[in-house]
Structure formats: C-alpha cells, structure tokens
C-alpha cells in the first residue's frame, strides 16, 4: 500500500471524520488519497492558520484530536500560530505537514523549512521521519501522544517520497494507557488534603480547563456540594461549573467578577482543579499567595509548584482524585465565610438596565441562548469583547465555551467556530463573538462559513478600535492612544455580504434584540455588526497588585 | 548550588535538541552537558550540570521527565556519586623546564599525550577542582589552550539509572 493511503487508512482507524487543511505541492499525494476516501470530510479553509484553529475548535468540542494538514514551507509556517494556541490550552491535535522529498532535504530546496525545529517548543511532540517504514508507526503514535495525559498538539513532517513508498499497513488498536495512580502513597496525600479542606475557614475551589479535559464535571459539582465550597472558574474553565449553581461565584482573574476576585483574595485555602495558575488568573504572585495554602490537582506533575508553591500537590486523573477527596463526611464550618461571600455577590451584582452597551448586549445574548430547549456554544475571539462575554454570558455545560486562553490569539474565533459547528452539526449552534480588530485577522473565513453554509451567528462588536489595546494605553500610558483607534471606517456588513452572507448593521439595543432573535430563527450563516461606542472592560485588576485591587475608570 | 542530572533517552535524532530546548525555553542555564550512547545502544545518556535553587531543580526534573523520549531522570547526590570530566591542556615548554612540568603532571596523574619541542599536551580526568589546581600550577609556564568535555556522573553502589525509570511519575507530596 502507498504511504499516503496508509496514512488515510490510519486516520480513519482513529475515528477521524473531518480534516482541515490547504493543499500544496508536497502534500498533494495525501490529498490524492483523501479524494478517494468518502468517509472523511475534508474542509478547505482560506489560510493554513485557520485550518489549525478550525481543527483546534473541532477538538475542543469533540474531545478527540483535531486533524489539520498543510504543505511544506509557507504552508507549514502558517500553521504555527494555530499549533501554539492549541499547545497553550492543552488541546489534542494531530498536524501533518508535507516536506520536500528526502533526497532534497537540507539543500534549501523550494518550499523547504525545518518545521520540526520551528514547532518543537510549541508541540507536545513532533516527528521527523528518516525512513518510510517509520511513517505509519509515527501517525499511530501521534494520536496516542496527543490524547493521553495532558493533551496537546503533535506534528508529523512527511517527506513527499514517503507518501509514494510501499508501506505495510498494520492496524494498531490504540489502547489508552491506564493510569496506575492512585497508589498507596497517594491515598495518604488525599487524606491530608481532606483534613486541610475541613480545617479551612475560607476555602475556595478554582475550576480550570483541566476539569473539562478530564471530563470531571459531575465529580467537581459533587465535591463542592459535599463540603459546601464556593467555586470560581478560570477563563478556560467557564462552563464546567453551572453558572446558575448557588455555589458559583463567577469567573475570576484580571477581568474577573469582583465577588469572585474578592473571594479568591480573601480565601485561606485554594483548591485548584485543572488550573495552571496563569498570570492572568493570579496577578502579582507574591500578593496572590499571601496568607494562603494551596491544594493543586492537575494531570501534569510539572504544573505542581511551577507558578504557585502548593502544600499538597495531587497529580493524576481529575475524576479519580476528586472521587478520592469525597470519601469522608464533612465536618467543616464555612457559615461565616458564606455570609461574606453572599454580601459580595449582592454588593457587586451587575445591574443590567437594557442600555445600549456591550455588557447589556452580552446579557441579552446570554438570556436568549440559555432559554429552555435552546442549545448553543459560544466561541470568542480575543480582546475586550472576549472579556465582556466571559463576564456576562452564562454557561452551564462543559464544551459550550471556547476561547483562546493561554496564547490569546486574535483571529482564533471565526475558524474555531467553523470547527465547533462542524462537530456539533445540527445538535448545537455556534454564536461567534468577535471584535472589529480580531475579525480583520481571519475574516476571510466567512468564505468557508458561507461555502459550507454553517448556521453560525457571528456577532462583531464594532467600536472602531483595538479596544483592549486602547484600554491598556488608558491605564498604563496616560491615555496616549496610538495605533489603537481606526480612523478609516470599514463596512463589515458589506464585507460579509461579499461572501454571500446575510449581514446586519445594528445601532441600538432594540435593533440588536430584533436582529439577534431573528438570527436565531433562521438556520443559516449570519453576521451582526454591533456598532457601539468605545468603552472599557470593568472590573480590571492591576497586574502588579492583588486581584482585589481594581482599576478606577 | 551545582547539581548533576542524568537523563536516559531514546537514541534518536532530535532528542538532545528536545531536552536542551526545553531547558532553554524555561530560561534555565546549563553549566556542562555530555551525551553518549549507552549499552544497550537504543538509549543515550545525557548528563547535565546546572546551578539553581530548589525550584529550578524541581522544574528541571519534572519538565524533562515529561518529554516522551525520556525514560529516566536521576538527580545525583554529590556524596553518593562519582563525577568525572576530561580536560586537555596545551602548555609551552622548553628544554629547561620540561622536566618540571612533567613532574607536576605526574603528581596530578595527568598524562602527556603529545610531546613537541616547544609544547606538551596533557590529558587529565577528574573533578573540576583538581583540574583547576593543575592548570593554576601550569599557568606560569604559559598555557596555550584548554579544552574540557562535559562532566559525567554515576551513582555509587548497585543502583543504576534504570532504578529511576519507574520513578518518573510524580504522585503527590506531603504537607509542608
């Protein structure tokens, strides 16, 4: 069997039904094999970066590795931002790049780049092939590595001639490696952790994206309920704890809700589940750790003590560990703590008055997409709109909130929406929220969205500026705005219409309500441009101070 | 403080780059590095000497341990390990002082591996301190060139690096 056919067969064996990519000379043999494979849907994007983001979105929604392919040289380098995005957010992904024939390698041949070397720091693993017989084992192993332990992207760089080489296909059933943990030692640490939880006067749980990856939503809810623990989420953890649950305090961090940030700042014990204590979550580390102890649960042992020194580190399977922590009868008393928390919740409750600003727009979206029998996923880009969405759109289920957390990749939203929508098909519709800055980055994917007739509702918050940059220039550069305000007006509705997509310009809350509810009714691609004044995302904490020190606007 | 780490890895192209790249990505600095194939030849052994506080040691072990090609990571305790490195020293000599120089070399158990009318090359193995003392004594004669290999480390007694292969995983830690 030809190498290219073996690769396709192997992809099929790994349950791959959708591949994103872009053709080019060195990857063409694989395209020829894919052409003949009817069970795999190939999605052509307008740029390789978008293929990577779309595969990423598909993976975040499905939990399976997303697959994207590109050719050598520029095709491969265009993938880099997408791979780095997936790496930072621990998304399982298999990336296949074509490479110049092995005989031409190392001669600076046409469209040759060392993509193996370029992507080494941003992949969980990468394969550089020396022999055609290594091709198939590499593809098989790539899936195993991408989807085991802490998930992440894996790249395989395949010289063109290996696609033509005669390869023996051997079906290999991927067995998920069984985690040997917990062992006897581990139980001691778990018991110590329970003691600590019961002794704490002001405990709090931080739910991170790792709980979603570890499919431990139920365990997390039971754990928090059992010990009556307040829960905040990280940006990546939104959705894992139902936002209407009485124990939920909101999203914490640089732009977190005030009640949530206060709770974290005043806690004496933080139980972090699947969160790596990123700097946007903690702010100033010295102030963050002051007078606190930490129980850190993560699948990746290297995360324990990396950013925050914990008292107890539990590395392993999230589900198992949370179950272990529920083995005793609670005796803790957190009543006083809850009185404080409830006060903050009341004091800092957001007043949605229906005026035409972004928080109210987000609140309306939230109310509409969370109605009974409605099932929506929210995908955001990166910027002010992303933070407003995180603050004001309620999510109840894991894998219904998608955002670029670690890398903060502008342009992630639209291609990721395509991946998410393709996975959910008719079961769940995607609302994509972008800023006018981020949509300029990968807006050409409206072409793909239109070509596939995906019923995504794309909302562009148009404040004619790079809002987050403007905000940083206000706070840290004495309101000296530079390169953050667009003097040249662009008609985004005409842009969307040029792809054949229905688009609306909105100038008031009434407009928005009408257009958005109408968009929900119609099952087709739509773009809504919310033309709105420039504003600032509040609350905002200063990165150099504690997370309950807020910037005054 | 100086630390020695032995890392057992698959003997495949790119693996050294993976390990070293991880270290540089985390902004840790390497003092010395040596790599060689082991018996059996499917594995290579990397010895890394580095300085740093407990945090850096902990992260080095965990981050290196995460790399799929890494089989074992062993942190050496200086009391229970033998450290060795080799140094070549080229020193200027003439008929008058050659015997003096050779005498010093004898005291340090350094071997002359090349003898010319105006120069000598010595090979010396051992820990850094010994090599430094040797070069200090030779300095007045005129040292032309010094080259050092990376140091290697091996634990004393019956234990080998393979004993650390199973310990790669981290389970938890006690209350501090």
């Amino acid at each position: 069997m030809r190498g290219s056919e073996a690769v396709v067969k192997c992809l099929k064996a790994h349950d791959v039904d959708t591949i994103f990519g872009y053709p080019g000379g060195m990857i063409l043999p694989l395209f020829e094999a894919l052409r003949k494979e009817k069970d795999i849907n190939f999605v052509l994007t307008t740029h390789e970066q978008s293929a990577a983001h779309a595969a990423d979105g598909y993976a975040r929604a499905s939990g399976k590795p997303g697959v994207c392919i590109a050719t050598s040289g520029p095709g491969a380098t265009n993938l880099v931002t997408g791979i780095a995005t997936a790496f930072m957010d621990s998304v399982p992904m298999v990336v296949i790049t074509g490479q110049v024939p092995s005989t031409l390698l190392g001669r600076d041949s046409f469209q040759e780049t060392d993509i193996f070397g370029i992507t080494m720091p941003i992949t969980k693993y990468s394969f550089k092939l020396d022999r055609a017989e290594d091709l198939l084992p590499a593809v098989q192993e790539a899936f195993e590595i991408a989807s085991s332990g802490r998930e992440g992207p894996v790249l395989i760089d395949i010289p063109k001639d290996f696609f033509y080489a005669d390869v023996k296909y051997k079906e290999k059933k991927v067995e998920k490696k069984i985690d040997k943990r917990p062992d006897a030692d581990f139980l001691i640490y778990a018991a110590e952790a329970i003691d600590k939880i019961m002794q704490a006067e002001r405990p709090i749980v931080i739910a991170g994206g790792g709980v979603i990856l570890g499919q431990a939503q139920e365990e997390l809810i039971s754990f928090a309920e059992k010990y009556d623990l307040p829960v905040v989420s990280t940006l990546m953890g939104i959705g894992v704890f139902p936002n209407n649950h009485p124990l939920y305090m909101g999203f914490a961090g640089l732009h977190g809700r005030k009640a949530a940030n206060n709770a974290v700042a005043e806690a004496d014990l933080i139980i972090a589940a699947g969160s790596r204590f990123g700097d946007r979550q903690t702010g100033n580390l010295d102030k963050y750790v002051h007078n606190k102890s930490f129980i850190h649960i993560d699948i990746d042992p290297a995360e324990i003590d990396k950013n925050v020194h914990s008292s107890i580190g539990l590395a392993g399977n999230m589900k198992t560990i949370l179950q272990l922590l529920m083995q005793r009868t609670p005796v803790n008393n957190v009543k006083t703590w809850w009185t404080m928390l409830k006060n903050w919740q009341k004091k800092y409750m957001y007043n949605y008055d229906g005026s035409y600003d972004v928080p109210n727009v987000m609140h309306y979206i939230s109310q509409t997409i969370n109605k009974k029998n409605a099932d929506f996923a929210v995908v955001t880009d990166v910027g002010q709109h992303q933070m407003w969405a995180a603050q004001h759109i309620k999510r109840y289920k894991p894998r219904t909130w998608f955002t670029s957390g670690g890398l903060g990749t502008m342009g992630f939203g639209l291609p990721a929406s395509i991946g998410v929508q393709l996975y959910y098909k008719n079961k769940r519709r995607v609302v994509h929220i972008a800023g006018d800055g981020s949509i300029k980055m990968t807006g050409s994917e409206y072409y793909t969205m239109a070509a596939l007739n995906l019923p995504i509702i794309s909302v562009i918050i148009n404040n004619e500026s790079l809002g987050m940059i403007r905000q940083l220039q206000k706070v840290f550069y004495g309101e000296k705005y530079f390169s953050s305000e667009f003097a040249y007006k662009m008609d985004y509705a005409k842009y969307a219409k040029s792809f054949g997509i229905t688009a609306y310009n909105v100038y008031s809350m009434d407009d928005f309500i009408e257009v958005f509810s109408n968009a929900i009714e119609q099952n087709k691609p739509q773009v809504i441009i919310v033309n709105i004044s420039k504003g600032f995302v509040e609350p905002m904490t200063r990165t150099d101070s504690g997370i309950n020190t807020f910037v005054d606007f | 403080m100086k630390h020695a780490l032995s890392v057992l890895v698959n003997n495949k192209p790119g693996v050294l780059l993976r390990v070293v790249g991880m270290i540089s990505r985390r902004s840790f600095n390497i003092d010395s590095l040596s790599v060689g194939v082991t018996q059996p030849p499917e594995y290579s052994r990397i010895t890394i000497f580095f300085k740093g506080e407990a945090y850096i040691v902990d992260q080095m072990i965990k981050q290196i341990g995460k790399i799929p090609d890494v089989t074992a990571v062993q942190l050496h305790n200086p009391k229970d390990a033998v450290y060795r490195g080799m140094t070549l020293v080229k020193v200027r000599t003439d008929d008058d002082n050659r015997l003096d120089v050779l005498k010093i070399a004898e005291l340090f158990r350094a071997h002359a591996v090349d003898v010319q009318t105006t120069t000598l090359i010595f090979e010396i193995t051992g820990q850094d301190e010994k090599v430094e003392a040797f070069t200090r004594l030779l300095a007045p004669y005129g040292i032309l060139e010094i080259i050092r290999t990376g140091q290697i480390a091996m634990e004393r007694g019956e234990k080998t690096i393979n004993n650390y292969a199973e310990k790669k995983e981290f389970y938890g830690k006690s209350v501090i």
Side-chain angles (χ1 to χ4, degrees), chain A residues 19-213:
Chain A
I19 295 181
F20 303 87
Y22 204 92
M26 298 307 143
I27 193 81
L28 270 184
L30 188 60
F31 275 78
E32 173 57 14
L34 276 172
R35 182 179 67 84
K36 295 182 202 149
E37 178 50 68
K38 298 285 171 253
D39 292 341
I40 296 180
N41 176 25
F42 178 77
V43 178
L44 174 69
T45 54
T46 62
H47 189 283
E48 287 89 352
Q49 181 187 343
S50 297
H53 289 322
D56 175 325
Y58 192 88
R60 288 180 202 233
S62 65
K64 299 190 295 186
V67 180
C68 61
I69 60 177
T71 196
S72 64
T77 54
N78 277 348
L79 291 171
V80 168
T81 306
I83 298 172
T85 305
F87 182 67
M88 288 293 273
D89 289 343
S90 306
V91 178
M93 203 154 108
V94 172
V95 183
I96 298 174
T97 49
Q99 182 54 280
V100 300
S102 52
T103 47
L104 287 179
L105 264 173
R107 295 162 184 268
D108 299 324
S109 310
F110 177 66
Q111 292 195 331
E112 181 188 353
T113 12
D114 176 16
I115 195 65
F116 170 78
I118 291 173
T119 57
M120 194 178 278
I122 51 163
T123 50
K124 192 175 171 195
Y125 197 74
S126 44
F127 289 92
K128 185 183 194 173
L129 303 175
D130 301 314
R131 304 175 311 169
E133 52 261 51
D134 294 338
L135 173 58
L136 204 61
V139 180
Q140 284 163 336
E141 215 183 310
F143 278 91
E144 209 174 298
I145 294 173
S147 54
S148 64
R150 179 178 183 170
E151 299 170 328
V154 176
L155 180 133
I156 317 156
D157 193 31
I158 306 174
K160 189 180 185 183
D161 49 328
F162 293 0
F163 284 126
Y164 293 119
D166 196 23
V167 165
K168 268 203 193 92
Y169 183 80
K170 228 174 90 191
E171 178 107 28
K172 191 187 158 208
K173 197 95 195 109
V174 180
E175 281 168 41
K176 258 208 147 163
K177 278 185 198 148
I178 299 163
D179 209 323
K180 277 181 279 175
R181 295 163 298 191
D183 64 0
D185 287 350
F186 195 94
L187 293 172
I188 299 169
Y189 301 123
E192 282 174 355
I194 302 175
D195 281 343
K196 233 174 165 17
I197 294 166
M198 288 190 189
Q199 284 155 15
E201 283 170 13
R202 298 182 309 280
I204 194 151
V205 177
I206 297 182
V211 186
I212 300 172
L213 297 173

Side-chain angles (χ1 to χ4, degrees), chain A residues 87 116-117 120-122 124-127 130 145 150 180-181 183 185-186 189 192 196 300-307 309-315, chain B residues 10 12-19 21-22 25-26 55 58-59 61-64 66-70 166-176:
Chain A
F87 182 67
F116 170 78
M120 194 178 278
I122 51 163
K124 192 175 171 195
Y125 197 74
S126 44
F127 289 92
D130 301 314
I145 294 173
R150 179 178 183 170
K180 277 181 279 175
R181 295 163 298 191
D183 64 0
D185 287 350
F186 195 94
Y189 301 123
E192 282 174 355
K196 233 174 165 17
D300 181 359
E303 283 305 328
I304 312 286
D305 292 347
K306 190 186 82 180
N307 290 342
H309 189 83
S310 56
S311 300
I312 301 171
L314 304 170
Chain B
N10 291 332
K12 280 197 322 201
V15 176
L16 178 65
L17 183 58
R18 240 180 260 282
V19 173
M22 194 291 299
R25 195 163 93 227
R26 302 268 166 200
Y55 169 78
D58 183 61
Q59 277 293 304
I61 296 170
K62 285 174 182 170
Q63 297 289 353
I64 292 174
K66 250 166 79 166
I67 301 167
D69 282 313
V70 172
E166 289 295 306
K167 286 264 177 196
K168 218 180 100 174
E169 298 284 340
F170 171 83
Y171 299 112
K173 61 174 194 177
S174 51
V175 183
I176 294 161

Side-chain angles (χ1 to χ4, degrees), chain B:
Chain B
M1 209 187 135
K2 211 167 171 182
H3 309 280
L5 213 58
S6 281
V7 186
L8 195 64
V9 300
N10 291 332
N11 181 12
K12 280 197 322 201
V15 176
L16 178 65
L17 183 58
R18 240 180 260 282
V19 173
V20 174
M22 194 291 299
I23 296 169
S24 83
R25 195 163 93 227
R26 302 268 166 200
S27 284
F28 304 146
N29 191 32
I30 296 173
D31 281 348
S32 118
L33 181 80
S34 62
V35 197
V37 74
T38 65
Q39 183 51 248
E42 292 79 52
Y43 297 103
S44 279
R45 183 161 165 160
I46 304 173
T47 318
I48 304 160
F49 277 75
F50 63 101
K51 286 193 209 70
E53 314 148 16
Y55 169 78
I56 292 180
V57 178
D58 183 61
Q59 277 293 304
M60 282 281 244
I61 296 170
K62 285 174 182 170
Q63 297 289 353
I64 292 174
K66 250 166 79 166
I67 301 167
D69 282 313
V70 172
T71 312
V73 183
Q74 178 187 11
L75 178 72
H76 293 284
N77 180 346
K79 279 184 288 180
D80 302 330
V82 179
Y83 296 169
R84 282 293 179 278
M86 193 174 93
T87 305
L88 292 179
V89 187
K90 188 187 284 180
V91 62
R92 198 186 288 285
T93 57
D94 51 36
D95 293 342
D96 296 337
N97 63 20
R98 189 172 292 115
L99 275 177
D100 300 342
V101 172
L102 283 167
K103 206 158 253 168
I104 295 170
E106 207 184 319
L107 285 170
F108 280 87
R109 271 177 277 170
H111 305 289
V113 290
D114 181 70
V115 184
Q116 304 285 335
T117 48
T118 58
T119 59
L120 278 169
I121 298 178
F122 291 108
E123 166 198 310
I124 179 168
T125 61
Q127 295 199 28
D128 282 352
E129 296 75 21
K130 177 180 162 188
V131 175
E132 274 155 27
F134 179 56
T135 52
R136 211 165 39 237
L137 282 169
L138 291 187
Y141 300 94
I143 291 173
L144 294 170
E145 204 173 6
I146 294 180
I147 178 168
R148 280 185 180 184
T149 63
Q151 293 224 337
I152 48 174
M154 189 181 268
E155 186 169 334
R156 298 175 199 273
E158 290 208 353
K159 262 198 192 164
T160 70
I161 191 165
N162 293 317
N163 290 82
Y164 295 83
E166 289 295 306
K167 286 264 177 196
K168 218 180 100 174
E169 298 284 340
F170 171 83
Y171 299 112
K173 61 174 194 177
S174 51
V175 183
I176 294 161

Side-chain angles (χ1 to χ4, degrees), chain A residues 186-417:
Chain A
F186 195 94
L187 293 172
I188 299 169
Y189 301 123
E192 282 174 355
I194 302 175
D195 281 343
K196 233 174 165 17
I197 294 166
M198 288 190 189
Q199 284 155 15
E201 283 170 13
R202 298 182 309 280
I204 194 151
V205 177
I206 297 182
V211 186
I212 300 172
L213 297 173
Q215 296 167 20
Q217 185 194 31
E218 281 174 37
E219 286 78 7
L220 182 75
I221 297 171
S222 325
F223 168 70
E225 284 174 350
K226 176 151 193 162
Y227 299 106
D228 202 17
L229 302 168
V231 178
V232 300
S233 81
T234 67
L235 182 65
M236 292 303 295
I238 289 176
V240 74
F241 209 82
N243 287 183
N244 56 347
H245 195 288
L247 296 176
Y248 188 65
M249 299 292 298
F251 138 68
L254 183 72
H255 289 291
R257 302 299 293 257
K258 279 188 177 175
N261 276 19
N262 273 325
V264 174
E266 294 297 327
D268 62 353
L269 173 69
I270 288 182
I271 304 141
S275 160
R276 60 188 174 84
F277 291 110
D279 54 302
R280 300 281 128 161
Q281 176 70 206
T282 63
N284 181 296
L285 262 186
D286 292 334
K287 295 200 170 91
Y288 187 75
V289 300
H290 186 66
N291 282 338
K292 283 184 188 30
S293 48
F294 293 86
I295 296 172
H296 194 175
I297 311 166
D298 205 288
I299 195 161
D300 181 359
E303 283 305 328
I304 312 286
D305 292 347
K306 190 186 82 180
N307 290 342
V308 159
H309 189 83
S310 56
S311 300
I312 301 171
L314 304 170
N317 182 295
M318 186 63 62
K319 256 176 154 26
T320 329
I321 294 173
L322 288 173
Q323 277 161 0
L324 272 178
L325 293 179
M326 281 187 268
Q327 284 180 340
R328 297 226 309 262
T329 321
V331 290
N332 67 338
N333 189 357
V334 288
K335 254 195 186 146
T336 344
W337 179 222
W338 268 110
T339 319
M340 278 166 86
L341 296 167
K342 289 260 182 306
N343 276 338
W344 285 325
Q345 269 178 329
K346 229 161 100 190
K347 188 173 167 195
Y348 297 121
M349 203 175 317
Y350 198 88
N351 178 27
Y352 297 108
D353 58 4
S355 56
Y356 187 53
D357 60 17
V358 188
N360 276 293
V361 167
M362 296 296 173
H363 181 62
Y364 181 76
I365 294 175
S366 178
Q367 283 183 316
T368 315
I369 65 174
N370 284 320
K371 275 192 183 139
K372 250 195 190 146
N373 303 326
D375 209 347
F376 286 89
V378 174
V379 184
T380 81
D381 247 292
V382 169
Q384 282 187 321
H385 66 276
Q386 175 193 27
M387 291 300 121
W388 272 313
Q391 292 169 345
H392 300 285
I393 298 182
K394 290 193 161 53
R395 303 281 66 203
Y396 302 91
K397 292 177 204 155
R399 301 188 195 277
T400 61
W401 164 259
F402 305 95
T403 198
S404 166
L407 199 68
T409 311
M410 278 178 81
F412 166 83
L414 184 56
S417 298

